[in-house]
Amino acid sequence: MDFDHDTLVAFSKSWGLFYLMGFFICVIIYAFWPSNRKRFTRAKTSILSGEDKPWR
């Protein structure tokens, strides 16, 4: 079985596209999953809580 450069490029482009689309969909589902809301809210406000002066 002999693959030339063009065949490998076409294969990697098509499957790479499907891989990135699947990864994007998984990230969006994770970000908007209802049980993660508390975690993201805590991360959003954690920079403001606890200290009111510069760190030294």
Side-chain angles (χ1 to χ4, degrees):
M1 202 165 197
D2 188 25
F3 294 112
D4 62 344
H5 182 261
D6 293 330
T7 304
L8 291 176
V9 168
F11 178 77
S12 65
K13 281 184 178 182
S14 62
W15 286 105
L17 175 66
F18 293 135
Y19 169 75
L20 289 176
M21 286 173 53
F23 183 73
F24 175 75
I25 290 170
C26 290
V27 167
I28 294 298
I29 289 171
Y30 176 77
F32 289 105
W33 200 259
S35 62
N36 290 332
R37 183 180 307 268
K38 187 186 296 184
R39 177 183 304 158
F40 290 137
T41 303
R42 186 175 62 237
K44 180 174 69 173
T45 59
S46 68
I47 190 70
L48 302 173
S49 64
E51 297 182 8
D52 59 350
K53 55 186 170 182
W55 178 72
R56 286 187 166 204

